[in-house]
Amino acid sequence: MNEEMASLSTETCYLVDCVVKMVSRANEESVDFVGTETCNSLNAIRIHNDNHVADYIVPEKCSTLFFANARRHSQRICDSQRDQLLRMVQLIPSSSATWPFRVSMANLDPKNNILLKLEKLSTFRKVIANYTSQGFRSFFTKMDCPAVLVISSCRRKTGSENPALEERNQLRCKLVSHHLTAVCQLLGIEVSHVTIPEELPLTVTSLSDAISRPEVGIHPPKPEQQTEQEILRNFTTAIMGRMIPLTHRRDPSSTEKSDSRTLKFHSPTLASLKEILRKRKLRIGKKHYMADLTDIEVLSEDGSPTTPLRDCVKLEMVAQNISSNLSGQVAVHIATPSNSHYQQCVDLLWRELSACDIQQVHASTGPVTVTGGDSSTAEGCLASVISCYETELKEASATKHGTAIQELDEEKQRRSILTRAAIKFDILGTSPNNVVKLDVSLRGQSVESRPGVFVLYNYARMTTLLRKFEERVVEGYYPQLPPVDQVQFETLQEPAEWKLLFCYVLQFADVVLGTLGDILRSEGPACNIHPNKVCKFLQSLSKDLSIYYSRTHILGEPRPHLLPTMFARLYLLKSVMLVMRDGLRLLDIEPLTRM
């Protein structure tokens, strides 16, 4: 499958590809559907509406590829071609018997779009069986991608007049980096994560490291891997040998030597970034490298390595530890607003010093501001923001459950998890390059006012429901949940049930792939990452789930004629819960099992 299809899940790609190839064969034409012309239309092929017109739409732009003359002249399909296309489309339902999902209806609308409706029973059975038994990977074939090195550039700006803003920006940079790392891990992409600098404020680490995860930073070096001292020595040798462009090479004093290994120098050594840009034919501009990249100090007056050089050594070590094939890696620099310039300097210096040409891309995060609250909160330090969020949640809990439980350890732990979730969701829910506004004036509002809390609330409802069912099974009130292949999914007739499956469980893989943005195919150093897509997906899922849950009685009486529907609904909600769990893990949010 063409790599440009990476924005769609395996199942969706196969479905649409099968449609087009089948129609192409019937038209006796060889059509490469996954071409440049059609790739931009692929994200528009999926719909779901209350009228149930179709589940998928293949746009007319794709349909024109079936006809050579329309393809050559970018014409619309003529009447005779429409009749021919209609006859071919009508063969799709019978031809789909061997496809990943069977098609129950295929037709053309007046605009020559191909309308497809899936056969619901087999789709319910396959999707739910796959997700409850195999999880996310059942919807996705492992990507043949290069290893990814995620770099969090969180160094505070020296002499900043607003340290609270720098602290908030550090947190956002770390959260976006953790999200990208988690997405790569879920997709089976080899990934490592490194933070520059390693030491961050406690308030930042307490919020960004809430969930323990497999170590993806610097591992013990491999036997064949160079040590830090060896890499530094090689880099220094390259600098002293003028193997990289310099603007002012140090002039060693040939007569003054303290020992055989140490030389005394008169001035620092600077690398010429402009010359590196020219030499490597790298472009300057909005989506490329900054115009003010000039010189960077690499060796100080006493011959010691500077911070940029040490950062390059650190990145080289981590990159070598991921894979021996450095040229097959992608380094993603995620920087705070005040570090974007510095990180491009490190990028260029590392390009020159490294033995291999690692692809490097950059994503700069926007600032995190604070709105509302009193004068003390307006200062915006993270400790103050955390305190404000916790107070808000405490007041809401006291109104609902009373003040007596507020100081219990269990309630404090629950409140701490909700606070982290609310702040992370508010930060990651905004596109990384846009400004985040943390509103600390939402006291007295409903639970929906904090999307992160609302999502955790609905996740907890599902876990509580499933736990209650298991408890009733132990009591002998309900029979055991039957194997999924024995469940009568034809009892799921509500439009809301199909929407939960089709729009959320089936499409989650597409959402995850979409968060990667263009980091694996960016033409310039600037790239986009979209953690906000996962946030919006979970928020939308939670709203539809809440509506369905409030209108539908799940655990009814254990009468024989009611049990098949209850079992089917439990399996559906279990798959929805697993999707929510995976989505929360991508945001590094610890789920709650009780509210």
Side-chain angles (χ1 to χ4, degrees):
M1 197 177 304
N2 190 299
E3 63 182 16
E4 293 181 355
M5 288 284 274
S7 60
L8 295 176
S9 69
T10 302
E11 304 290 7
T12 302
C13 289
Y14 282 174
L15 176 66
V16 180
D17 206 31
C18 285
V19 171
V20 179
K21 286 180 179 178
M22 192 279 296
V23 175
S24 300
R25 284 195 298 269
N27 196 37
E28 297 182 351
E29 288 227 25
S30 177
V31 176
D32 179 16
F33 174 63
V34 194
T36 306
E37 289 182 68
T38 58
C39 284
N40 293 332
S41 303
L42 291 177
N43 286 327
I45 63 174
R46 186 184 317 110
I47 68 164
H48 180 283
N49 56 41
D50 294 334
N51 295 324
H52 302 289
V53 174
D55 294 321
Y56 291 97
I57 289 183
V58 180
E60 184 190 24
K61 179 187 290 187
C62 300
S63 302
T64 58
L65 297 180
F66 306 149
F67 303 98
N69 60 338
R71 186 162 68 248
R72 276 195 301 268
H73 304 291
S74 299
Q75 297 174 349
R76 298 192 61 180
I77 295 174
C78 64
D79 291 341
S80 62
Q81 291 171 333
R82 175 182 168 82
D83 293 339
Q84 184 181 0
L85 182 61
L86 179 59
R87 289 193 297 272
M88 293 185 289
V89 167
Q90 289 173 342
L91 297 175
I92 290 177
S94 59
S95 302
S96 68
T98 59
W99 296 0
F101 296 109
R102 296 195 63 170
V103 176
S104 63
M105 183 280 293
N107 210 336
L108 284 181
D109 69 4
K111 296 182 179 180
N112 297 320
N113 300 313
I114 302 176
L115 307 181
L116 304 174
K117 289 187 71 173
L118 298 184
E119 200 280 312
K120 290 187 177 180
L121 176 58
S122 60
T123 304
F124 265 120
R125 180 169 285 113
K126 178 172 183 177
V127 172
I128 292 176
N130 285 355
Y131 215 105
T132 54
S133 62
Q134 304 174 46
F136 174 83
R137 294 290 177 85
S138 64
F139 292 89
F140 184 76
T141 302
K142 185 176 179 180
M143 297 176 67
D144 184 16
C145 292
V148 174
L149 170 58
V150 181
I151 304 163
S152 302
S153 181
C154 303
R155 185 171 280 108
R156 282 200 181 193
K157 182 180 179 180
T158 304
S160 173
E161 297 180 356
N162 193 341
L165 175 62
E166 290 290 323
E167 185 183 40
R168 296 193 302 270
N169 292 344
Q170 285 178 311
L171 174 62
R172 187 181 195 184
C173 180
K174 285 286 288 182
L175 292 181
V176 173
S177 301
H178 283 172
H179 166 75
L180 178 57
T181 303
V183 169
C184 290
Q185 288 177 320
L186 187 62
L187 295 177
I189 300 173
E190 192 174 9
V191 62
S192 191
H193 174 224
V194 60
T195 300
I196 301 175
E198 294 182 1
E199 297 296 328
L200 293 174
L202 181 60
T203 48
V204 174
T205 56
S206 65
L207 282 169
S208 61
D209 296 333
I211 299 180
S212 60
R213 62 171 63 78
E215 178 60 37
V216 292
I218 299 179
H219 306 296
K222 300 175 183 178
E224 70 279 7
Q225 183 181 335
Q226 292 179 309
T227 65
E228 181 177 356
Q229 291 74 21
E230 289 173 334
I231 295 174
L232 178 58
R233 183 165 58 249
N234 291 341
F235 283 4
T236 304
T237 300
I239 293 170
M240 296 304 300
R242 280 191 172 275
M243 296 175 66
I244 69 170
L246 303 177
T247 54
H248 183 192
R249 187 191 181 193
R250 62 179 68 255
D251 182 20
S253 300
S254 58
T255 58
E256 295 182 286
K257 296 184 180 181
S258 56
D259 57 45
S260 59
R261 295 169 298 172
T262 305
L263 296 177
K264 292 185 178 180
F265 299 93
H266 297 303
S267 60
T269 299
L270 307 177
S272 173
L273 300 181
K274 282 190 175 181
E275 184 60 23
I276 294 174
L277 287 168
R278 186 198 64 77
K279 173 185 173 183
R280 292 182 169 267
K281 299 179 180 179
L282 299 173
R283 296 171 60 186
I284 294 174
K286 184 176 181 181
K287 294 184 178 181
H288 299 276
Y289 287 93
M290 300 177 184
D292 59 347
L293 297 174
T294 54
D295 302 331
I296 185 171
E297 185 177 338
V298 290
L299 294 172
S300 59
E301 293 182 3
D302 61 0
S304 60
T306 60
T307 298
L309 181 56
R310 289 195 175 278
D311 286 345
C312 289
V313 171
K314 183 176 182 179
L315 297 181
E316 184 78 2
M317 278 196 67
V318 180
Q320 286 186 9
N321 203 24
I322 302 177
S323 172
S324 58
N325 180 19
L326 297 186
S327 297
Q329 294 186 30
V330 176
V332 185
H333 300 262
I334 300 175
T336 61
S338 59
N339 276 278
S340 297
H341 183 276
Y342 172 81
Q343 209 57 31
Q344 286 202 0
C345 294
V346 172
D347 167 346
L348 294 175
L349 182 59
W350 188 24
R351 284 177 188 267
E352 280 296 290
L353 293 172
S354 180
C356 298
D357 189 13
I358 299 175
Q359 180 186 351
Q360 300 189 57
V361 294
H362 293 258
S364 180
T365 57
V368 180
T369 62
V370 176
T371 62
D374 54 30
S375 58
S376 62
T377 304
E379 297 175 2
C381 67
L382 279 179
S384 180
V385 172
I386 293 170
S387 176
C388 187
Y389 272 66
E390 285 187 336
T391 301
E392 172 193 318
L393 291 169
K394 184 176 181 179
E395 291 176 355
S397 176
T399 301
K400 186 174 182 179
H401 303 292
T403 58
I405 69 167
Q406 299 308 310
E407 300 306 318
L408 297 178
D409 290 341
E410 183 179 355
E411 177 64 16
K412 290 181 179 179
Q413 177 66 17
R414 185 190 73 90
R415 200 159 56 237
S416 175
I417 293 173
L418 288 174
T419 298
R420 289 190 178 95
I423 295 175
K424 289 181 178 182
F425 215 96
D426 287 350
I427 291 177
L428 292 174
T430 301
S431 181
N433 54 340
N434 292 338
V435 177
V436 168
K437 295 181 180 180
L438 297 180
D439 190 349
V440 295
S441 61
L442 296 181
R443 293 186 183 182
Q445 301 293 319
S446 65
V447 67
E448 289 85 353
S449 61
R450 294 291 185 198
V453 176
F454 181 62
V455 171
L456 286 191
Y457 172 70
N458 280 279
Y459 180 86
R461 291 172 83 177
M462 294 303 99
T463 59
T464 301
L465 173 74
L466 294 172
R467 184 171 57 249
K468 184 178 179 181
F469 170 77
E470 294 297 336
E471 291 171 354
R472 302 303 295 271
V473 170
V474 173
E475 295 169 1
Y477 186 76
Y478 289 132
Q480 285 280 357
L481 200 62
V484 68
D485 58 353
Q486 298 178 16
V487 176
Q488 300 176 33
F489 288 109
E490 62 269 21
T491 60
L492 299 178
Q493 296 294 324
E494 294 294 329
E497 292 165 343
W498 177 246
K499 187 175 184 180
L500 286 174
L501 181 98
F502 179 77
C503 289
Y504 298 110
V505 182
L506 183 57
Q507 311 305 342
F508 180 57
D510 292 353
V511 174
V512 175
L513 286 166
T515 65
L516 285 178
D518 57 356
I519 68 168
L520 299 178
R521 57 183 187 274
S522 178
E523 295 181 358
C527 70
N528 296 298
I529 306 169
H530 307 291
N532 51 302
K533 289 188 176 183
V534 175
C535 295
K536 292 185 181 350
F537 173 86
L538 289 175
Q539 192 174 0
S540 178
L541 169 56
S542 297
K543 288 180 180 179
D544 286 329
L545 178 61
S546 180
I547 293 172
Y548 173 72
Y549 187 81
S550 62
R551 294 177 179 176
T552 308
H553 190 54
I554 308 297
L555 299 181
E557 297 181 8
R559 297 180 180 179
H561 69 286
L562 298 178
L563 289 176
T565 302
M566 183 182 72
F567 291 151
R569 286 173 173 170
L570 285 171
Y571 265 108
L572 172 63
L573 293 179
K574 183 179 180 180
S575 62
V576 169
M577 184 194 72
L578 293 174
V579 166
M580 295 182 73
R581 180 203 64 186
D582 290 340
L584 290 170
R585 285 178 177 175
L586 295 181
L587 303 177
D588 201 26
I589 291 177
E590 182 179 357
L592 277 180
T593 56
R594 300 176 186 270
M595 287 297 288

